[in-house]
């Protein structure tokens, strides 16, 4: 593995520099005076921003972008050997590194690094932790997989020894990391196009936990059935969080205000500490906040700073995000694309005042849809009305093994009003004809289904 000397800047080229994570790493390196270039398939606000701070960005990925002055090439899992730039870099014999490997090497330069892992909730919890660190005047460097208003994007370059990032398990990316603090939110079956089974996933999380610094701390969901397996044989200190009273950090007397935001009494090792108020919805965010509190307290932040940070956190884009109103109908968008995430979102919706709940769901990847067909059908049936869009393929080819109609067919006996439409326009037309009163409409999925709600709001605003 090529090792970067961060005291001696070199020219690093990013294949796919406009991606949410790649762009953040490029910005960190630019701040450290590294010459940075990169390419992307289309221009965007992100590529324009990078050019504005000194990066050289090419639109289109071509062999000639791999110039002789490049010292290292960084690429994502989405880049394959038939990519022109990838092939050109290999032909030139240039050192090459994955995005995750670069992130791991950058993290190693920060004494207090925090990696947030888990099948669900990484972006939200990382963003919540970011607000706490900012309120605590920790001046952190932050890399998050979503757009966070408080830092004006997905990256913040600080000047302290604190580095905060998400740690994604897909393709075992997080095994490149050796953080001081490892947060493990949950462990479930997902990404079955890569992992063999749940035991394979548990093994990866065990290895991730084992790579926590020896003087560090593992902060792990103690309500999981897999917690003991993940911690087995590890010498690092660990604390647990969860709703069961056995955990080190837990919540009692959980309640929700008229907008569905949670509050609870914080209990640490059996001792009631204080009342915690959140400005985000759902019991899953109660769990997320417990993890951040455990980490922040170990870092030396006061409860006053922590509570202030939690109160400033109002969520991230595409996580139960309020988009607007169509008359009295509330439009929400959510990134949920796994059955457990959908359940968490629907649970949060129950605490939100409304008449009927409408969900427009766009499944994400064929392998995930196939793996969880019964679970998708069961969890979606908890809504009053469900509309299925076509599967968002992402990185996968359509082999015909599964379709959104398979979910519809499984739901027909549930009593839920369910429909499928092949185009967003048909979905929008149906919704305009049927939503009414104080209905709650949630567009849901990790693809581009957010456009449905945005288009509806634009159409109704024009009238």
């Amino acid at each position: 593995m090529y090792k970067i000397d961060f005291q001696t800047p070199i020219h690093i080229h990013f294949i796919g520099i406009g991606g949410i994570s790649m762009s953040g790493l490029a910005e960190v390196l630019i701040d450290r005076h590294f010459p940075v270039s990169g390419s992307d398939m289309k221009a965007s606000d992100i590529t324009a921003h990078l050019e504005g701070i000194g990066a050289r960005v090419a639109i289109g990925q071509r062999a000639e972008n791999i110039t002789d002055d490049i010292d290292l090439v960084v690429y994502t899992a989405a880049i394959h050997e038939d990519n022109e730039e990838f092939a050109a870099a290999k032909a030139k014999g240039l050192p090459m590194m994955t995005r995750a490997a670069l992130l791991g090497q950058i993290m190693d330069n920060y004494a207090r690094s925090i990696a947030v892992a888990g099948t669900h909730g990484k972006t939200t919890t990382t963003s919540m932790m970011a607000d706490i660190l900012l309120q605590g005047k920790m001046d952190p460097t932050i890399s998050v997989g979503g757009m966070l208003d408080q830092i004006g994007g997905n990256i913040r370059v600080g000047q302290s020894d604190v580095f905060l990032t998400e740690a994604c398990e897909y393709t075992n990316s997080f095994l490149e990391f050796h953080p001081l603090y490892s947060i493990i939110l949950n462990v479930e079956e997902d990404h079955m196009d890569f992992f063999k089974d749940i035991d394979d996933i548990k093994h990866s999380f065990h290895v991730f936990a084992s790579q926590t610094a020896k003087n560090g701390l593992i902060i792990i969901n103690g309500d999981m059935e897999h917690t003991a397996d993940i911690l087995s044989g590890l010498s690092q200190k660990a604390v647990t969080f969860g709703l069961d009273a056995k955990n080190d950090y837990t919540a009692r007397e959980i309640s929700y205000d008229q907008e569905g935001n949670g509050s609870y009494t914080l209990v640490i090792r059996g001792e009631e500490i204080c009342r915690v108020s959140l400005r985000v919805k759902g019991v899953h965010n109660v769990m997320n906040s417990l993890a951040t509190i455990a980490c922040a307290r170990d870092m030396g932040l006061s409860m006053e700073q922590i509570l202030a940070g939690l109160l400033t956190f109002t969520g991230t884009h595409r996580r139960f995000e309020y988009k607007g109103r169509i008359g009295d109908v509330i439009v929400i968008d959510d990134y949920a694309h796994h059955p457990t995430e959908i359940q968490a979102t629907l649970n949060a919706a129950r605490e939100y005042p409304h008449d009927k709940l409408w969900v427009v769901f766009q499944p994400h990847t064929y392998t995930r849809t196939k793996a969880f067909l019964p679970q998708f059908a069961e969890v979606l049936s908890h809504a009053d009305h469900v509309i299925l869009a076509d599967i968002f393929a992402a990185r996968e080819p359509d082999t015909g093994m599964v379709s959104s109609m398979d979910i519809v067919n499984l739901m027909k006996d549930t009593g839920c009003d369910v429909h499928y439409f092949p185009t967003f326009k048909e979905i929008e037309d149906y919704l305009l004809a049927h939503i009414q009163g104080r209905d709650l409409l949630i567009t849901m999925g990790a693809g581009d289904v957010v456009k449905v709600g945005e288009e509806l709001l634009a159409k109704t605003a024009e009238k």
Side-chain angles (χ1 to χ4, degrees):
M1 169 67 73
Y2 182 88
K3 191 72 175 174
I4 301 171
D5 179 359
F6 286 87
Q7 305 307 312
T8 308
I10 58 172
H11 180 178
I12 299 182
H13 180 85
F14 290 78
I15 306 177
I17 197 168
I20 196 80
S21 179
M22 292 277 272
S23 61
L25 300 184
E27 189 162 341
V28 171
L29 291 173
I30 290 169
D31 184 72
R32 287 175 170 255
H33 308 294
F34 279 66
V36 168
S37 64
S39 64
D40 214 275
M41 296 308 294
K42 60 182 180 180
S44 65
D45 291 343
I46 290 176
T47 58
H49 170 71
L50 289 172
E51 288 180 303
I53 60 174
R56 189 176 77 229
V57 179
I59 303 305
Q61 293 174 346
R62 297 176 293 274
E64 55 263 33
N65 294 334
I66 305 300
T67 54
D68 291 339
D69 59 335
I70 293 172
D71 299 300
L72 172 67
V73 172
V74 177
Y75 61 95
T76 70
I79 301 299
H80 303 294
E81 294 199 4
D82 59 356
N83 178 280
E84 282 192 36
E85 291 185 21
F86 188 99
K90 284 196 76 172
K92 285 177 178 285
L94 292 175
M96 302 180 72
M97 182 181 294
T98 64
R99 176 205 62 83
L102 173 62
L103 176 54
Q105 290 201 25
I106 289 174
M107 286 176 66
D108 289 343
N109 287 271
Y110 293 81
R112 290 185 289 175
S113 56
I114 307 162
V116 181
T119 312
H120 325 292
K122 293 183 289 292
T123 297
T124 297
T125 306
T126 303
S127 302
M128 188 182 285
M129 189 71 206
D131 274 15
I132 293 172
L133 294 173
L134 291 171
Q135 283 294 313
K137 310 298 183 187
M138 302 294 279
D139 193 17
T141 295
I142 300 165
S143 176
V144 63
M147 305 304 284
L148 186 59
D149 290 338
Q150 285 84 338
I151 62 175
N154 65 306
I155 189 74
R156 179 188 190 273
V157 179
Q159 302 304 317
S160 74
D161 65 351
V162 177
F163 187 98
L164 170 66
T165 189
E166 293 181 38
C168 182
E169 74 276 14
Y170 185 57
T171 68
N172 280 332
S173 293
F174 64 174
L175 300 189
E176 301 284 355
F177 306 160
H178 300 82
L180 184 68
Y181 294 97
S182 295
I183 297 176
I184 299 176
L185 299 170
N186 38 64
V187 178
E188 291 189 44
E189 286 186 335
D190 198 8
H191 301 302
M192 302 314 291
D193 57 328
F194 176 76
F195 293 109
K196 299 184 189 73
D197 51 31
I198 187 62
D199 289 332
D200 191 22
I201 296 170
K202 284 195 300 183
H203 173 72
S204 287
F205 275 91
H206 172 76
V207 176
F208 168 72
S210 75
Q211 294 180 176
T212 307
K214 294 305 179 185
N215 62 331
L217 179 67
I218 301 167
I219 300 160
I220 188 168
N221 181 344
D223 290 348
M224 299 187 297
E225 61 177 305
H226 311 305
T227 304
D229 291 337
I230 291 169
L231 295 178
S232 177
L234 302 187
S235 60
Q236 293 91 335
K237 180 183 173 185
V239 297
T240 61
F241 66 91
L243 302 183
D244 193 302
K246 69 181 180 183
N247 290 293
D248 297 309
Y249 286 74
T250 189
R252 289 180 188 160
E253 301 165 342
I254 301 172
S255 62
Y256 301 93
D257 65 18
Q258 62 184 5
E259 294 183 353
N261 299 321
S263 64
Y264 61 90
T265 299
L266 172 66
V267 179
I268 302 177
R269 299 180 184 90
E271 179 186 354
E272 291 192 359
I273 303 299
C274 62
R275 192 75 183 166
V276 176
S277 295
L278 305 176
R279 294 178 65 194
V280 285
K281 297 159 182 64
V283 71
H284 62 292
N285 274 314
V286 170
M287 292 283 286
N288 294 338
S289 69
L290 290 171
T292 62
I293 292 169
C295 184
R297 279 175 60 90
D298 196 82
M299 295 180 75
L301 274 71
S302 68
M303 278 310 306
E304 288 75 18
Q305 291 169 319
I306 295 169
L307 294 174
L310 290 172
L311 274 178
T312 64
F313 180 68
T314 57
T316 59
H317 295 282
R318 303 220 60 206
R319 272 70 175 181
F320 213 93
E321 180 184 4
Y322 173 83
K323 302 295 289 187
R325 286 178 178 267
I326 302 170
D328 289 330
V329 175
I330 299 290
V331 181
I332 299 290
D333 181 61
D334 197 275
Y335 193 71
H337 55 284
H338 182 283
T340 300
E341 295 168 351
I342 295 170
Q343 186 65 66
T345 299
L346 297 184
N347 287 344
R350 287 196 191 100
E351 307 298 335
Y352 201 98
H354 66 277
D355 293 336
K356 298 295 185 180
L357 173 60
W358 290 77
V359 172
V360 179
F361 180 58
Q362 181 186 45
H364 190 259
T365 74
Y366 301 105
T367 52
R368 182 182 287 112
T369 306
K370 181 70 172 176
F372 297 112
L373 264 179
Q375 294 93 330
F376 280 128
E378 194 281 327
V379 71
L380 286 168
S381 69
H382 294 217
D384 298 301
H385 306 276
V386 174
I387 299 175
L388 270 294
D390 277 329
I391 296 169
F392 189 84
R395 55 188 173 266
E396 297 180 346
D398 183 2
T399 63
M401 66 176 173
V402 68
S403 76
S404 293
M405 275 304 300
D406 292 318
I407 299 176
V408 173
N409 291 333
L410 286 174
M411 290 183 66
K412 283 182 176 176
D413 295 330
T414 65
C416 176
D417 176 46
V418 59
H419 302 273
Y420 159 77
F421 296 103
T423 69
F424 283 177
K425 183 181 185 306
E426 289 170 280
I427 293 173
E428 292 156 15
D429 290 345
Y430 185 85
L431 287 169
L432 283 174
H434 291 85
I435 54 175
Q436 60 185 349
R438 294 170 65 252
D439 286 351
L440 177 62
L441 169 62
I442 304 178
T443 55
M444 188 182 292
D448 57 355
V449 69
V450 61
K451 294 177 181 177
V452 171
E454 292 175 344
E455 187 63 24
L456 284 173
L457 289 165
K459 285 179 179 178
T460 54
E462 292 169 1
K463 294 180 178 180

